[in-house]
Amino acid sequence: MMLKRRSFLTYFSLGWLTACFPVVLAACAPKASIQSTATIDDKGATKPVSKITADGFTVVGSVAELEKAGYIQTKEVAVSKDPTNPKQLLAVSSKCTHKGCDVKWMAGEKKYECPCHSSEFAADGKVLKGPAKTNLTTYSAKVVGTQILVKI
Ligand code: FES
């Protein structure tokens, strides 16, 4: 009787350990560095993109998207090529510094315009026309492979 009880406890313990092992492994694994955020397409709809947090840079779009549209814009940031040096990327906040509306890239004029009260900003975020008095916040941007990353 004692032997059966011991065997039962041994098998029960092994079964319990086997069942819990994957859960323990998952709990101990490093957290994924990829998170989700969103971009705004031409029609104003949002679409998810990946966010890389390891070095603080976020994937905001692809080089192909930038080449096609001339800019990339998410809810947080807008990226365009420097009009004076197309090899250089300029990343600025998407939020107008007047009252926080989302600025829009005007491709023909190579500047951002706010639809709420008509403030205008250069590609580098400098105020061109009020009522906004403060430049758009600027961020570092870089190309990694085929993707555009911004340190937000
Ligand atoms: Fe942009 Fe007023 S919120 S100009």
Side-chain angles (χ1 to χ4, degrees), residues 96 98-101 114 116-119 131:
C96 178
H98 179 231
K99 296 207 183 232
C101 291
C114 180
C116 293
H117 310 103
S118 304
S119 286

Side-chain angles (χ1 to χ4, degrees), residues 111 113 117-122 126-133:
K111 66 182 178 184
E113 188 175 287
H117 310 103
S118 304
S119 286
E120 294 178 0
F121 302 90
K126 289 194 175 92
V127 174
L128 298 174
K129 179 182 153 205
K133 294 180 177 152

Side-chain angles (χ1 to χ4, degrees), residues 77-135:
V77 68
V79 180
S80 65
K81 292 181 180 179
D82 185 338
T84 61
N85 178 10
K87 292 183 179 178
Q88 181 74 37
L89 295 179
L90 298 171
V92 298
S93 171
S94 286
K95 300 294 177 200
C96 178
T97 55
H98 179 231
K99 296 207 183 232
C101 291
D102 290 337
V103 296
K104 304 283 181 215
W105 178 247
M106 310 304 286
E109 299 148 40
K110 306 234 184 275
K111 66 182 178 184
Y112 294 98
E113 188 175 287
C114 180
C116 293
H117 310 103
S118 304
S119 286
E120 294 178 0
F121 302 90
D124 64 359
K126 289 194 175 92
V127 174
L128 298 174
K129 179 182 153 205
K133 294 180 177 152
T134 306
N135 298 337

